[in-house]
Amino acid sequence: MKQWSREIEINSSIEHVWSYLNGSLEQMQKIMPQVVDNTPVHLTDEVVGSVYRQKYKEGKRIEEYDVHTLEYLNQANDKKMKIGFTLANMFEITALYELHRVNDQTTKLKYTATNKALKWYAKLFMIFANEKVVVTFLENVKKVAESEAPASRT
């Protein structure tokens, strides 16, 4: 299994950044445009245990998989969500998003991704896997959140 973890500081409120991760499909698509559908299959009151059927477009192909909410925390200064899914019966993937309120207009976002090959031949792909996806994702969230951030109150 491989794991990558990076963090970035975003000049936007924690609630605004959280809206891309814990909001509507429209908000999610701003930072993950390849996600074309995110339909609830099973929702729980405590969020952990909830399942969403997600469709992801890669080129002309659309992959469909169930995303399970494994951890969830939604407090004023700290927010966390961990999801997990199996991609094409070949990879078990988790994504952990941790947000920390630095101040009213600054949020620290830590993103940790894991990827576990489920088939022997899938392990060959893992040799070339690197943290570029994690870095690119964080930079994209920062760019989108800062460009859409509500004006600070002075």
Side-chain angles (χ1 to χ4, degrees):
M1 178 170 74
K2 288 207 173 187
Q3 177 175 308
W4 303 272
S5 189
R6 285 280 179 274
E7 62 181 52
I8 197 166
E9 209 164 85
I10 300 172
N11 297 312
S12 185
S13 72
I14 191 169
E15 291 299 334
H16 182 72
V17 177
W18 185 239
S19 75
Y20 297 107
L21 301 167
N22 191 42
S24 66
L25 174 62
E26 182 184 10
Q27 281 293 90
M28 183 188 294
Q29 286 176 322
K30 291 176 182 177
I31 62 167
M32 298 180 238
Q34 306 91 334
V35 175
V36 294
D37 192 27
N38 191 46
T39 306
V41 174
H42 174 75
L43 299 177
T44 64
D45 291 338
E46 53 282 336
V47 185
V48 171
S50 293
V51 179
Y52 290 82
R53 175 120 339 115
Q54 204 169 82
K55 291 181 182 175
Y56 183 91
K57 189 171 184 175
E58 186 69 54
K60 292 183 178 181
R61 239 183 39 225
I62 293 181
E63 289 284 342
E64 185 176 285
Y65 45 84
D66 288 347
V67 176
H68 298 261
T69 305
L70 307 172
E71 291 180 37
Y72 188 84
L73 175 71
N74 188 356
Q75 296 178 343
N77 292 326
D78 291 289
K79 300 178 185 302
K80 181 196 304 194
M81 182 165 49
K82 182 176 185 178
I83 58 167
F85 58 95
T86 301
L87 184 60
N89 292 319
M90 288 184 36
F91 299 100
E92 199 171 90
I93 297 169
T94 66
L96 172 61
Y97 311 101
E98 296 173 280
L99 286 76
H100 176 72
R101 179 184 178 276
V102 177
N103 59 45
D104 286 347
Q105 290 302 315
T106 309
T107 302
K108 190 175 285 188
L109 170 60
K110 182 177 181 184
Y111 176 48
T112 304
T114 64
N115 193 330
K116 178 182 174 189
L118 299 175
K119 311 265 192 220
W120 68 267
Y121 50 87
K123 291 179 181 173
L124 299 174
F125 293 106
M126 298 295 290
I127 294 168
F128 304 105
N130 62 38
E131 66 194 17
K132 183 176 186 279
V133 173
V134 172
V135 172
T136 303
F137 175 76
L138 285 175
E139 288 170 350
N140 190 42
V141 173
K142 178 179 175 70
K143 184 180 85 177
V144 171
E146 289 179 355
S147 72
E148 295 190 345
S152 59
R153 288 168 260 147
T154 51

